[in-house]
Every structure is written in C-alpha cells, then in structure tokens.
Amino acid sequence: MMFSLSFNAQWVLLSTLILGMAAGIMGCFAYWKRQSLMSDALSHAALPGVVVGFALMGTKSLPVMIAGAAASALLGALLIQWIRSSSRVKEDAAMGIVLSVFFGLGIMLLTIVNRMPGGNQSGLDSFIFGQAASMVRKDVYIMAGVALLVLLISIIGFKEWKLFLFDPGFARGLGLSSRWMNSIYMAVLVLIIVIGIQAVGVILMSALLIIPAVSARYWTNSFLWMVVLSGLFGGGAGMVGTYISTLGKGWPTGPFIVLAASSLFLVSLAFGVRKGLLVVYLQQRAQKKIHVQSMSHAQATERGR
Amino acid sequence: MSYTGWILLTASLVGLSCGFIGVLLILRRMAMMADAISHTVLLGIVTAFLVTRELSGIHMLIGAIIAGLLTTVLVQWFHERGVQQEASIGVVFTSLFAIGVVLIATQVGNAHLDVKHTLMGEITFIPWEKTHIPWIGEVPEAVVMLSAVLLVVMIAILAFYKEWKITSFDPALAASLGIPVVLMHYVFMSLVSVTTVAAFDAVGAIMVVAMLITPAAAAYLWTDRLGIMLVLSGLFGVISAILGYYIAAWLDTSISGSMAFATGLIFMISFIGSPKHGVVAKWIRPQMLSS
C-alpha cells in the first residue's frame, strides 16, 4: 500500500504515524490527570494564535503559526486555571468558556484574514478539520521533529512521570517539584496539540489524545503497557486515517483519523482482556455456573439429611 | 421589520433560551456535556437529511434530539463500564462528530449542507427565508422555530421549577422525595438538544456552546438565587447577542464568532468586577476586614 503512494504522501503518512504515537503517549498522562477534556479546550483555544501567526507573516509559515498556536493555547490554559482558582466557576464551565470564546475569536480573525489579498488561497480553513495532504516537506520535518522530542521527554522521565501522576505526595517527598512537572506536562501537551492541528484540525485533535488512551486501558493494568499500547493505537489510527483520507478528493484527514481510532476503541471495548465486554460476560457466566452448582449441591446435601 | 432587526431578534431569542438552559447546565456541572451535544447534533442533522433528503425544521429537530439522547446514553454507558466521565464524553462526541463530518464529505457533498455552515451558522441569510404566519405576517422561519423552542424551554423550567431546583442542588434529596431524577436528567438533555439544534441553524455550533455556558457562568458570579440567576443569564445572552452583532458590523467579520467573543467580554467583566464573587471584590474584602 505504501508503494502506490507518491513520495510526499509517504512522508505525510510517516509523520502522522509519529504524531499519533506521541499523542497516544501524552493522552495516557492526560487520562490519569483526569484532564482528557482539557486537550479539547486547548486545541480550540489554539485557533486565534494560528490565524494571528498567519496574519503576521502574510504567508503560511508553519513555525510562526505553531508559535502563535502555542501562545494562545497556553493563554487559554492559564485563563482556565485562573478562573477555576479565583472564582466559584467550576473547571468544566471554565473550559467551556475558554473553548467557545477563543474559538469564536479565531473565527472572527479567520474571516478578516480570509478577506485579505491572498488570504483565501492560504488553506487556513484546513486548520479546522485538518488537511494532511496540504503539508509540504518542511512541515513534515517540523512535525516529526517535535513529535520525536515529545517521545523522548516522556521516555527519559518515565519514572518521574509515573510518580507525578499516581502519587504526587510521594513525588514531592522525593524532592520532585510538582510545579515544574506540571509546567513541563502542560508545555508538552500544548506542543502535541499545536503540531497536530495541521493534520487533524482544531476540533478533533483532542480525540487523538483521548481515544487511544481509553482503548489501551481495556488491555492492561500496567501503566507502562498502557503507554506503549496507546502509542501504538494512536500511531496506527493516524496512519490508517491519513491513508483513507487520500482515497477521496478533498476529504479532510481529521475525521478519518478519529474514526480509525474509534474503531480500535470499539474492538478494545468488546475484546479487551481487562473489563472488555466479552471477558466480563464470560466471567459472569462462569461465576453464575459455580454459584448454581454450589447451590444445587447444598440443596442435595440438605435433602439427603 | 428591518433586516438588522430580524437578525438581532433571532440572536436575542438564541441568547434567551440558551441563557435559561445554561443556568441548569452550570449548576448540574454538565458544561462539557453541552459542548459534546452541540457537536453530535451535526450527526443527527446529517442523518435526518440523508433519510428524508430535505432540510426542513421538524426532521432536523427529531434527528437532533435522537443524537443528543444517544450522546447522553452512550456517555453514561461507557462511564458505567469503567471509563472516566471526562474521557467518556471525549470519546463519544469526537467519534459521532467525525462520523457526521465524514458523511457530509462523502455523501452529501457541498450542495445543501456544509460543515462550515454548521459550525458558524448563516445568520445573515435568516431574514430572507420567510414564512407566512396568520395575524402577524411574514416572519423568518428561524424566528418561528426559536420562539417555539423558547416557549417550550420556559414552560418546562417554570412548570417544574421546584423539581429542577432540588434535582440540581441535591439529587440525593430529590430521589428520596420521589422525584424521578433519571427521567429529569434525560428530559433536560432533550431540552439541551432541542435548544442546540434550533440555535444551530441560526448561529452555528460554536456560538451555541458560548451562549449556553458563558452567560450562565457570568450570572453565577453575581447572585446566589436561582430565579435571579435565570433572569441575569437570559439578559446577558441578549446583551452579548446585540453587542456581538455591532462588533461584527464594525469590524466586518463573522457575526456568530463576534457574538461568542462578546459573551467572553461579559464574563470577563463579571469575573473581575462582580461585587459578590469578582476578583477585585475578593481582593478588597480581606483588606477591609483587617482595617
């Protein structure tokens, strides 16, 4: 299947593979910090930054747009934090506010920029649903580079991450600064989101962080294996989805990647060895059988007496 | 009525019904559920279109209610099977939304229904699609639909005001009093879906989320009384609709985007300046106490 594609398409496939792996790994961290929907809020909040980055340069320059996206996503994260900590508005409402208001601002700016000369052909719209095919070689390098960096950060500090997620009190006792860990975590999460939005789009980027982690949860109780599996699921979904989206003309990449991920989720839900539906059903039936047998045995001895 | 007048009326109707529903959303801590439903409604609309091949109001409403309830049921179902609530919402709405987008991209084409339209709405076209109502005359279809939805929402909230209050603040007490908490949950989710889809056609998915969550959260900072919070939230919704329209006219940009932005402005003002729960008030109060 790889050989029927052009050279550029192969690069795009490879980069969505790496992106999916990195997102899958980060997704596990977000899952255990119970911040799955934070990624949704942050990816929406990145849109104004993307548009401003474009408007500043006048052309589509990925590094500037990524920087803009990162700045506005971080601003969104800080606002959520600020609203939550200094008012009685709860975190979910704070995320909803930041998500919708930033996205609204992004659409406002997008409409203005699209009216500028040359703005309409820029393919800025493809940032909403993702258009992996619109990436050029340089974009692919940047994306793959950042994704590899994220992979490295999570592998090198794996033990620290584990402590930070599951026993923050103990981590503090060991001298790990939870503030630093939190900042690194947030920075890496934002980084993954902003490099992913060109391929997957701002609306569906969160799916690539959430779905692989949830699917991996059905196969194992070990965090290490969950991270590995989630990375594999994410990478697989990224590649398969991108491949399918190249089959039709002008098909957006993001939705297909998400559908590939959700198919994996359904398979995991049905057949996963931990709490998968089939396993739970078989266990329940086996228990029922044992129960019924012991009951009838007890009845038999009672009658015999 | 003038062209601008109809647009302002449409947006105000959206602001009112979303503002009322939003209060209950905030109090029940289901803000992200509203975000999820506003996305999955797309699947309901696309499916209704593929089945009936027409874009009329009533089919879309039914499709949207089914999609909204499906979202609620699926989120609950996965949650009961060990997925975290948040993650469960994330899995369900992104998947259903992706199916909707793929169906549009592959089946529907750009002829009748496109994704951009559903995200941002086409409020500028609303005054043109008129229908005849006896006694009143020519009225845009969206205004009729939104008025009907507003009426339903108001009746539902006022008729069961006490029940909503108890189930929102103390579900355990409500259950022990014999109020059908689960049924009310699903009725509420249907109300959210209906409001979303009626507003969706006019102003698009983003503004629905902004209108549902932000004015209600702003009102939450001003008062501790449910009745006042409802009135304030509706009022904030209308103000941000009108303010948003004039910002859009001034900058010549997307109307729904500006309205979403305007709700943010109102929230920021409340967040900083509210006498009860605002940042400034909280900063001043301890100093007054100590002096």
Side-chain angles (χ1 to χ4, degrees):
Chain A
M1 124 187 163
M2 286 287 264
F3 296 101
S4 62
L5 294 166
S6 68
F7 190 62
N8 193 50
Q10 289 185 24
W11 267 104
V12 170
L13 272 188
L14 185 66
S15 66
T16 46
L17 173 78
I18 302 173
L19 170 75
M21 284 170 70
I25 291 170
M26 260 330 273
C28 291
F29 294 4
Y31 181 87
W32 286 114
K33 270 192 77 81
R34 299 189 172 257
Q35 282 192 331
S36 299
L37 287 176
M38 189 61 137
S39 53
D40 189 42
L42 294 185
S43 59
H44 282 72
L47 186 64
V50 173
V51 183
V52 169
F54 173 83
L56 283 179
M57 295 300 286
T59 54
K60 209 181 115 191
S61 142
L62 199 61
V64 179
M65 284 158 98
I66 284 183
S72 82
L74 277 177
L75 182 67
L78 287 177
L79 270 177
I80 291 174
Q81 181 60 32
W82 190 36
I83 291 173
R84 199 191 59 176
S85 64
S86 57
S87 79
R88 60 174 182 164
V89 175
K90 304 290 175 308
E91 182 170 35
D92 66 327
M95 288 195 300
I97 292 168
V98 165
L99 178 157
S100 54
V101 172
F102 272 61
F103 197 74
L105 180 65
I107 296 292
M108 273 170 81
L109 295 172
L110 193 64
T111 315
I112 294 173
V113 168
N114 269 342
R115 234 183 16 241
M116 279 170 23
N120 215 6
Q121 295 89 36
S122 63
L124 264 181
D125 285 352
S126 65
F127 275 86
I128 293 177
F129 283 111
Q131 195 61 267
S134 73
M135 291 193 290
V136 296
R137 183 78 60 79
K138 216 175 81 192
D139 302 350
V140 172
Y141 285 150
I142 294 172
M143 219 170 99
V146 176
L148 280 175
L149 180 75
V150 172
L151 277 177
L152 271 179
I153 291 177
S154 46
I155 292 169
I156 291 173
F158 191 74
K159 212 167 62 191
E160 283 77 11
W161 285 118
K162 215 164 142 179
L163 273 176
F164 164 69
L165 290 172
F166 292 100
D167 200 344
F170 186 54
R172 259 198 305 280
L174 286 179
L176 265 179
S177 156
S178 64
R179 194 154 174 204
W180 267 104
M181 289 297 278
N182 241 331
S183 315
I184 297 175
Y185 158 79
M186 209 35 122
V188 176
L189 188 66
V190 166
L191 209 55
I192 274 290
I193 289 170
V194 297
I195 60 162
I197 53 178
Q198 190 176 20
V200 195
V202 291
I203 295 181
L204 291 170
M205 184 55 215
S206 57
L208 204 52
L209 284 150
I210 302 171
I211 301 179
V214 176
S215 317
R217 188 73 188 88
Y218 278 99
W219 295 97
T220 174
N221 281 335
S222 134
F223 183 59
L224 175 67
W225 279 108
M226 181 178 166
V227 169
V228 171
L229 273 178
S230 175
L232 286 178
F233 286 167
M239 209 169 77
V240 172
T242 312
Y243 178 72
I244 297 173
S245 78
T246 57
L247 298 177
K249 197 165 166 281
W251 285 4
T253 330
F256 286 98
I257 294 182
V258 175
L259 283 189
S262 11
S263 320
L264 275 173
F265 169 71
L266 285 182
V267 171
S268 308
L269 174 74
F271 303 111
V273 284
R274 306 265 169 224
K275 285 190 185 174
L277 291 183
L278 187 68
V279 169
V280 170
Y281 172 73
L282 288 178
Q283 277 171 348
Q284 276 173 352
R285 215 175 61 167
Q287 266 176 355
K288 206 167 164 187
K289 211 180 227 168
I290 294 167
H291 192 64
V292 168
Q293 264 174 2
S294 63
M295 284 284 279
S296 58
H297 188 70
Q299 276 171 355
T301 47
E302 199 129 292
R303 233 175 277 136
R305 215 179 269 158
Chain B
M1 208 147 137
S2 71
Y3 178 79
T4 313
W6 283 124
I7 289 185
L8 286 178
L9 180 65
T10 313
S12 306
L13 286 171
V14 173
L16 272 179
S17 33
C18 287
F20 292 150
I21 285 289
V23 167
L24 292 175
L25 270 173
I26 293 281
L27 293 177
R28 292 167 163 249
R29 302 197 186 165
M30 292 200 302
M32 290 313 277
M33 247 348 251
D35 179 45
I37 286 182
S38 74
H39 284 80
T40 52
V41 154
L42 179 76
L43 178 62
I45 291 177
V46 178
T47 316
F49 175 75
L50 286 177
V51 173
T52 62
R53 285 280 156 196
E54 52 185 319
L55 275 173
S56 79
I58 194 73
H59 298 131
M60 280 164 57
L61 270 182
I62 294 171
I65 295 174
I66 295 174
L69 285 178
L70 183 70
T71 315
T72 319
V73 171
L74 280 180
V75 167
Q76 192 59 34
W77 194 71
F78 287 137
H79 182 51
E80 278 163 15
R81 268 150 201 78
V83 183
Q84 288 168 11
Q85 177 85 17
E86 280 217 323
S88 172
I89 294 177
V91 170
V92 171
F93 95 82
T94 50
S95 305
L96 294 182
F97 186 69
I99 297 175
V101 176
V102 166
L103 281 178
I104 290 182
T106 58
Q107 303 285 317
V108 184
N110 286 333
H112 305 281
L113 192 68
D114 69 292
V115 184
K116 237 177 127 182
H117 171 115
T118 50
L119 277 180
M120 295 162 218
E122 284 297 350
I123 201 166
T124 42
F125 292 161
I126 277 180
W128 307 122
E129 287 157 10
K130 283 191 180 166
T131 176
H132 191 79
I133 299 280
W135 310 106
I136 304 169
E138 297 278 300
V139 176
E141 273 175 31
V143 171
V144 177
M145 198 152 111
L146 282 165
S147 312
V149 167
L150 178 62
L151 201 66
V152 170
V153 167
M154 285 183 75
I155 290 173
I157 290 184
L158 290 179
F160 300 102
Y161 187 72
K162 199 175 62 196
E163 283 80 0
W164 290 121
K165 208 169 174 174
I166 302 177
T167 50
S168 300
F169 285 104
D170 197 343
L173 174 68
S176 68
L177 289 174
I179 297 171
V181 178
V182 177
L183 178 68
M184 291 201 62
H185 175 70
Y186 284 108
V187 169
F188 179 61
M189 282 299 150
S190 312
L191 280 179
V192 174
S193 315
V194 173
T195 316
T196 308
V197 76
F200 203 80
D201 194 36
V203 295
I206 326 145
M207 208 191 106
V208 177
V209 183
M211 280 288 186
L212 278 170
I213 304 175
T214 322
Y220 191 45
L221 295 173
W222 289 90
T223 175
D224 288 337
R225 297 191 63 86
L226 181 61
I228 299 174
M229 188 174 163
L230 280 167
V231 173
L232 272 181
S233 174
L235 188 71
F236 286 159
V238 174
I239 294 175
S240 34
I242 295 170
L243 186 67
Y245 177 78
Y246 284 105
I247 294 177
W250 174 48
L251 294 172
D252 187 15
T253 181
S254 153
I255 294 177
S256 56
S258 311
M259 287 177 180
F261 181 66
T263 63
L265 286 181
I266 288 188
F267 178 79
M268 248 358 218
I269 293 170
S270 315
F271 178 62
I272 292 171
S274 153
K276 218 168 196 150
H277 300 282
V279 175
V280 175
K282 270 190 185 160
W283 185 67
I284 291 173
R285 209 170 297 139
Q287 291 182 340
M288 275 167 63
L289 281 176
S290 61
S291 62

